[in-house]
């Protein structure tokens, strides 16, 4: 067996180390995950990759030679001290989620894995950082949504069960029982409305929303929905401005009824008793424009931009009016599924008009 000369063996080992170092830094700099190398114990960065620069919104030059403390990155400085202590004493630090501050002041939720390594007799920390801001936001939205749904379903369910329980009590006069049954029906309809909106949103989110299009006259649909909702809008003055010569539309009748139902419920909910709710329609070039107007307090421009976002409700009404903030989001999804658009026109103190478009039969 032929042995390599010591000099050749040294060169081969050196070459292997250089290749390993080259592969490491190639992976380091190209990694989509944020990575850094910092000299211990002070934690001064000697290497950072592009992903870390993008995450923290700094250039590489602004980071190298500095520490996270000098750049005021940690919202809670004691967390940095704890991480450094773990690295020095135990050689590693698996951090829980922490909040850090980027160059622009944006707060980001991260988790990181840190390992102590020795290079040339000096200690360094290799850190891998994961941005979980969007995941945390989604989790918060899910928790808030579950809480809102539980609360909203409990309210009509309490009315329904209470009314039926009382109506079934022995000795209740027939006229009182009839009134209680009407209350129970109102509770059941509210539950049905909430569940219907949730199902539509679920179909959209899972890409299972399928329209069953047909051709129908819009005037008949509007009158049917208004008649169905008239009992819930009995304290308002309803005004229909629907021309008889409107051309037919091509749409999913059930979904259009749900859009109108949501808009009418909103108009009644956010305007005072005795005021007018107006439903109108007009022909565009290749579509119909259907509008629902109220005489409520109106909506500021800033709030208008938030109206059609997920589960968004205005601060003024979210604590005084029941609702998931779900109806307008469902309207937006259904209108856009038809190829139309939905918008609001409003001024504080002058009421609001919500309008949407539907394609004409030959549009």
């Amino acid at each position: 067996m032929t042995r390599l000369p010591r000099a050749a063996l040294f060169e081969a080992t050196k070459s292997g180390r250089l290749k390993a170092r080259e592969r490491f830094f190639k992976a380091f700099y190209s990694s989509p995950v944020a990575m850094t190398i910092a000299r211990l114990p002070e934690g001064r960065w000697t290497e950072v990759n592009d992903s870390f620069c993008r995450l923290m919104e700094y250039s590489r030059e602004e980071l190298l030679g500095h520490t996270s403390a000098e750049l005021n990155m940690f919202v809670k400085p004691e967390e940095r001290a704890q991480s450094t202590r773990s690295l020095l004493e135990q050689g590693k630090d698996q951090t829980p989620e922490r909040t850090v501050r980027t160059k622009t002041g944006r707060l980001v939720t991260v988790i990181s894995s840190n390992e102590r390594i020795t290079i040339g007799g000096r200690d360094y920390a290799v850190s891998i950082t994961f941005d979980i801001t969007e995941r945390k936001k989604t989790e918060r939205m899910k928790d808030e949504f579950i809480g809102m749904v539980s609360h909203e379903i409990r309210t009509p369910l309490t009315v329904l069960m209470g009314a039926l329980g009382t109506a079934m009590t022995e000795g209740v006069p027939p006229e009182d029982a009839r009134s209680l049954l009407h209350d129970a029906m109102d509770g059941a309809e509210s539950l049905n409305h909430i569940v219907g909106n949730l199902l539509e949103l679920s179909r959209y989110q899972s890409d299972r929303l399928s329209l069953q299009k047909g051709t129908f006259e819009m005037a008949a649909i509007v009158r049917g929905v208004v008649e169905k909702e008239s009992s819930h809008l009995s304290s308002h003055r309803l005004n229909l401005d629907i021309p008889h010569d409107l051309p037919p539309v091509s749409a999913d009748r059930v979904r259009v009824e749900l859009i109108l139902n949501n808009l009418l419920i909103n108009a009644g909910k956010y305007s005072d008793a005795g005021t007018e709710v107006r439903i109108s329609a007009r022909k565009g070039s290749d579509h119909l424009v259907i509008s629902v107007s109220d005489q409520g307090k109106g909506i500021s421009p800033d709030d208008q931009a938030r109206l059609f976002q997920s589960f968004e409700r205005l601060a003024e009404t979210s604590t005084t009016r029941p609702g998931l903030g779900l109806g307008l989001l469902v309207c937006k999804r259904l209108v856009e599924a038809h190829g139309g658009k939905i918008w609001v026109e409003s001024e504080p103190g002058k009421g609001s008009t919500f309008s949407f478009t539907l394609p004409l039969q030959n549009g």
Side-chain angles (χ1 to χ4, degrees), residues 22-43:
E22 182 182 345
R23 286 195 298 269
F24 170 79
F25 278 103
K26 185 176 181 180
F28 177 90
Y29 289 119
S30 62
S31 173
V33 178
M35 299 179 67
T36 64
I37 299 175
R39 188 168 56 244
L40 293 174
E42 67 272 22

Side-chain angles (χ1 to χ4, degrees), residues 292-313:
V292 177
S293 305
D294 63 59
Q295 295 179 332
K297 293 182 178 180
I299 307 167
S300 70
D302 288 343
D303 283 337
Q304 289 178 37
R306 298 163 42 218
L307 275 179
F308 298 100
Q309 297 176 14
S310 299
F311 320 126
E312 188 68 65
R313 304 187 65 225

Side-chain angles (χ1 to χ4, degrees), residues 204-246:
Y204 177 86
Q205 295 291 96
S206 59
D207 200 25
R208 292 185 294 108
L209 180 59
S210 177
L211 300 181
Q212 305 299 317
K213 288 189 177 183
T215 301
F216 56 84
E217 302 295 332
M218 198 65 215
I221 296 299
V222 171
R223 290 188 174 88
V225 172
V226 168
E227 183 178 349
K228 182 180 178 181
E229 290 298 319
S230 59
S231 61
H232 300 110
L233 294 168
S234 58
S235 61
H236 290 75
R237 293 180 285 109
L238 295 178
N239 179 5
L240 272 65
D241 181 13
I242 311 294
H244 291 284
D245 58 349
L246 288 176

